[in-house]
Amino acid sequence: MVKKILSASIIWLVLALLYIPVLLLVVYSFNASSEIGIWSSEWNLSLYKMLFSDEKILSAIKTTLLLAISSATISTILGTAGAIGLYYSRKRTFKIFNIVTQIPVVSADIVTAVAIALTCSILLFPRTYASLLIGHVVLCFPFVFTSVVPKLKQMDPNLYEAGLDLGASPRKALFSIVIPEILPGIVSGFLLAITLSLDDYVITTFLKPSTIDTISTYAYNAYAKNAANTSIPALRALSAIVFAIIIILVVVNFLISNKKKKEGN
Amino acid sequence: MNALRFSRKHLGIPYIIFLSVFVILPLVLIVLYAFTDSEWHFTLNNFADFFLRSGNLKVLAISFGLALLTTVICILIAYPVAYVLAQSKLKASGIYLLLFILPMWINFVLRTAAVKELLYMLDGLGIYDVSENYFLSTIIGMVYDYLPFSILPIYTVLIKIDKSAIEASMDLGANPVQTFFRTTLPLSMPGIMSAVTMVFLPTTTTYVIADTLGNSKVTIIGNLIKTQFDAGTAESWHVGSAISLVLLVIIFASMLFSGKLNENDQKGGASKW
């Protein structure tokens, strides 16, 4: 009994610590107060109105989403093609490039950012949206590669050969046999790439042109550089929206996987 | 003729080119910049500059100190949580795990900002003094941001531990406390180690947390590198590369030490799911 109470209190205490800061923002996003802790008058949506009329934040949101989708798409194509190509190359080639692929994963983000910034300057590549996109692709592609390779290992190698024997061209065999087999790995790599890109601050700040902001860089400049920034209250509304979207996605995902499990039974 | 025919191997070519230009070349450039001056002559001055300036050593010490404290606190909180979750026979333990991971998906700058808002509110209420506790605030922020990352790897290892090892220990006369310290804890070491690498290394460089919660009064290695690259003088990129290289060497040394650069390096990414 004591053990049970102890276990439950550990869980709930840590959950409370994790959620109090976020929930505080959510509650105060429905109030016009500029300072958390001081509740002014009543519940209202003024911060949301502020958020949706702030051109800078809106463009940061747009950039963030566009960047996440485009870098995840490029990473997925690049990483999947690379995984297939290298997996069917000589063992040594695969081994070497598999290790090289892990370099951006294990090294600190800031080192990756610095390294790519140096490369862009040597190649006389100015800081543009393209350099930012390259940075995000470098951040994301190793994760696509590493989630596709295990699926290739699980696949029966005879399937591809059988396809060829039955008259399919290598291209056709690839798209109608290999890709469908490894699709779960590709999808999870893509989703992981999206979350990594959405979460990134360091690589973005080193590679973006000064005219572009993402949610991360905008929020950093508002909160860290300038304590009296007037857009902070609007960012509360943004945090609340982000939190709500994540909860919706998690619940939907949970329901789908539950349904699948039941169908499986 | 054969070379022109489509083969699966050819799919690797763009990948290898991309890796060469954006992973291998950048590393080579960091090394090159680190060992040269603005005229491209070989020099060790960048390193000497870094290590001899007393302020920098202090920054190194602060970075590793903060990272160490953060890691220890994260593990001390994460282990019991992961242990309880792994032990529970509840069907709902999956949902609980999800609840612990969920904050990880909120943008990390916004998460840090949320902690700042909370601390300032406590300051307003007279419970906490922000201006006196920049280091404490930074540690709170770091623990808050990295806690989910430490729960997951420990949980993954704990849930895989063979129950018969624990039963054997009990059967051989160990009490629950002995069983925990001599069977469960040693068996869960891989999880703890991977939690350590997921928390320690990032915390030495994420200056976002230090800047936001330490009000720019707390300087860590990440700030040093950023400052060099923002300075824009002829020398500064070379010094910045030298600091990055030092960091990189420390990272790879610790990777080799913990044997992480092998098969299981997929964990880093996979564990986010």
Side-chain angles (χ1 to χ4, degrees):
Chain A
M1 194 60 204
V2 176
K3 211 175 145 193
K4 233 181 181 174
I5 294 171
L6 193 68
S7 306
S9 46
I10 289 173
I11 296 287
W12 289 107
L13 185 71
V14 177
L15 275 181
L17 289 176
L18 279 176
Y19 283 92
I20 283 173
V22 183
L23 291 177
L24 198 67
L25 286 193
V26 173
V27 170
Y28 273 87
S29 72
F30 293 107
N31 188 260
S33 164
S34 63
E35 212 174 307
I36 284 191
I38 302 167
W39 189 265
S40 70
S41 65
E42 76 246 335
W43 296 81
N44 63 44
L45 293 173
S46 60
L47 294 188
Y48 291 87
K49 276 181 204 139
M50 216 169 131
L51 172 68
F52 287 109
S53 57
D54 189 323
E55 290 296 324
K56 278 187 180 162
I57 300 184
L58 289 181
S59 96
I61 296 172
K62 224 199 267 165
T63 310
T64 307
L65 295 177
L66 197 69
L67 185 63
I69 291 170
S70 46
S71 60
T73 307
I74 297 173
S75 308
T76 304
I77 296 169
L78 187 76
T80 307
I84 297 173
L86 288 172
Y87 187 73
Y88 293 108
S89 301
R90 272 179 302 166
K91 268 224 165 90
R92 253 182 73 126
T93 320
F94 174 76
K95 249 192 169 162
I96 292 169
F97 287 102
N98 186 29
I99 289 178
V100 176
T101 302
Q102 303 309 327
I103 292 174
V105 180
V106 295
S107 78
D109 281 356
I110 195 164
V111 178
T112 310
V114 164
I116 299 172
L118 288 179
T119 312
C120 286
S121 88
I122 282 281
L123 300 175
L124 298 176
F125 199 89
R127 278 191 185 195
T128 55
Y129 186 81
S131 64
L132 180 57
L133 187 60
I134 290 171
H136 276 242
V137 172
V138 175
L139 174 75
C140 300
F141 83 89
F143 294 93
V144 178
F145 184 91
T146 36
S147 48
V148 170
V149 168
K151 295 288 163 208
L152 285 167
K153 282 186 184 159
Q154 284 165 19
M155 196 182 96
D156 183 350
N158 294 326
L159 283 179
Y160 179 76
E161 304 298 335
L164 294 186
D165 288 347
L166 291 172
S169 69
R171 213 178 292 254
K172 174 115 179 76
L174 179 75
F175 281 103
S176 45
I177 298 172
V178 180
I179 301 279
E181 276 290 308
I182 60 173
L183 197 61
I186 299 176
V187 171
S188 74
F190 178 78
L191 293 176
L192 190 54
I194 290 219
T195 59
L196 285 169
S197 169
L198 288 177
D199 213 37
D200 175 72
Y201 166 80
V202 174
I203 289 180
T204 310
T205 195
F206 271 83
L207 295 167
K208 77 179 184 67
S210 56
T211 48
I212 294 181
D213 260 318
T214 62
I215 293 175
S216 298
T217 58
Y218 188 87
Y220 170 80
N221 286 331
Y223 274 100
K225 289 280 173 63
N226 181 1
N229 192 298
T230 48
S231 61
I232 285 182
L235 286 172
R236 274 174 217 151
L238 177 62
S239 300
I241 293 174
V242 169
F243 185 57
I245 292 174
I246 290 168
I247 289 184
I248 292 169
L249 289 178
V250 165
V251 170
V252 167
N253 180 40
F254 188 78
L255 291 178
I256 292 174
S257 64
N258 246 14
K259 206 180 156 198
K260 265 190 196 159
K261 252 185 222 160
K262 269 186 196 153
E263 278 167 8
N265 288 341
Chain B
M1 272 315 279
N2 231 3
L4 286 173
R5 271 189 50 211
F6 173 81
S7 150
R8 284 181 294 185
K9 280 183 214 164
H10 297 163
L11 286 172
I13 295 169
Y15 188 79
I16 291 174
I17 295 171
F18 186 85
L19 274 185
S20 314
V21 179
F22 294 110
V23 177
I24 300 173
L25 177 65
L27 272 188
V28 173
L29 285 177
I30 280 207
V31 177
L32 188 72
Y33 267 80
F35 285 103
T36 52
D37 59 20
S38 54
E39 317 261 81
W40 299 107
H41 296 308
F42 174 82
T43 178
L44 290 173
N45 277 346
N46 301 325
F47 295 96
D49 231 46
F50 173 66
F51 282 112
L52 292 180
R53 216 175 286 163
S54 65
N56 286 351
L57 287 181
K58 199 179 145 202
V59 170
L60 265 186
I62 289 174
S63 303
F64 286 115
L66 280 175
L68 191 68
L69 258 173
T70 304
T71 311
V72 170
I73 298 171
C74 273
I75 303 282
L76 286 180
I77 300 175
Y79 200 96
V81 171
Y83 186 80
V84 171
L85 286 179
Q87 291 276 309
S88 92
K89 295 176 191 81
L90 287 173
K91 253 191 172 169
S93 67
I95 300 177
Y96 281 105
L97 183 68
L98 207 57
L99 279 176
F100 281 100
I101 303 168
L102 198 141
M104 208 153 82
W105 286 310
I106 301 172
N107 180 290
F108 128 89
V109 183
L110 292 179
R111 244 185 301 153
T112 311
V115 177
K116 183 172 187 168
E117 299 255 32
L118 172 70
L119 293 180
Y120 273 78
M121 185 189 90
L122 294 178
D123 188 47
L125 296 174
I127 299 170
Y128 183 83
D129 192 345
V130 170
S131 57
E132 292 279 321
N133 292 305
Y134 289 130
F135 277 94
L136 183 61
S137 304
T138 306
I139 292 174
I140 293 173
M142 286 177 166
V143 170
Y144 181 77
D145 278 337
Y146 287 99
L147 189 60
F149 292 95
S150 27
I151 293 176
L152 202 51
I154 298 178
Y155 173 83
T156 324
V157 170
L158 278 175
I159 203 136
K160 277 193 210 137
I161 289 181
D162 193 348
K163 293 278 182 295
S164 52
I166 290 156
E167 280 161 19
S169 156
M170 297 290 241
D171 288 347
L172 291 171
N175 63 36
V177 177
Q178 284 171 324
T179 305
F180 176 76
F181 282 104
R182 308 190 66 162
T183 311
T184 314
L185 190 62
L187 284 174
S188 57
M189 268 330 258
I192 296 178
M193 284 313 291
S194 92
V196 167
T197 47
M198 288 192 74
V199 177
F200 187 80
L201 291 171
T203 43
T204 55
T205 55
T206 40
Y207 62 90
V208 171
I209 303 173
D211 283 358
T212 308
L213 292 160
N215 236 6
S216 304
K217 302 268 190 319
V218 179
T219 310
I220 62 174
I221 310 177
N223 296 89
L224 285 186
I225 299 176
K226 179 71 177 149
T227 318
Q228 292 296 338
F229 275 82
D230 285 345
T233 62
E235 287 292 336
S236 64
W237 280 41
H238 296 268
V239 178
S241 298
I243 308 173
S244 305
L245 187 61
V246 170
L247 197 59
L248 207 57
V249 169
I250 295 173
I251 291 169
F252 281 106
S254 62
M255 288 288 155
L256 282 181
F257 185 69
S258 63
K260 255 224 124 186
L261 250 185
N262 296 326
E263 300 298 311
N264 35 5
D265 35 29
Q266 292 147 4
K267 268 191 215 145
S271 58
K272 218 175 169 178
W273 286 90

